[in-house]
Amino acid sequence: VVASRMALECNEEALLAALKAPGSTLADTLAQLRLLGVQIWLDEFAARSSIADLQNLPLAGLKLEKSLAVACEEPGAQAT
């Protein structure tokens, strides 16, 4: 399989917990995968994390959690 045709989806909570773990090399591993052409997506993004936590990660994009997407579509609605 060609790496550029691969995508890795990481759950927001699990990704942030792994990044903050003592001695974590996850950020370096994700960067190496990205250099190979693997697309890395943040799955179930619900804005629990700070954009500052995410800005240095080699993400191809975010997949919104359904409650956040609904809140964005409906005036006055709030994400749960």
Side-chain angles (χ1 to χ4, degrees):
V1 176
V2 178
S4 62
R5 297 185 58 108
M6 295 177 66
L8 174 65
E9 294 183 5
C10 303
N11 175 280
E12 178 185 13
E13 284 186 58
L15 179 71
L16 290 174
L19 285 170
K20 293 177 181 181
S24 175
T25 59
L26 182 58
D28 292 334
T29 302
L30 293 176
Q32 290 172 2
L33 288 170
R34 189 67 185 120
L35 286 173
L36 292 172
V38 176
Q39 292 185 29
I40 302 163
W41 287 80
L42 188 63
D43 191 25
E44 296 184 24
F45 179 73
R48 291 181 195 94
S49 55
S50 162
I51 295 299
D53 291 333
L54 305 176
Q55 69 184 8
N56 294 322
L57 296 176
L59 299 175
L62 306 173
K63 295 175 79 178
L64 298 180
E65 187 175 79
K66 185 175 181 177
S67 65
L68 183 61
V70 168
C72 290
E73 290 178 356
E74 297 176 9
Q78 295 183 11
T80 57

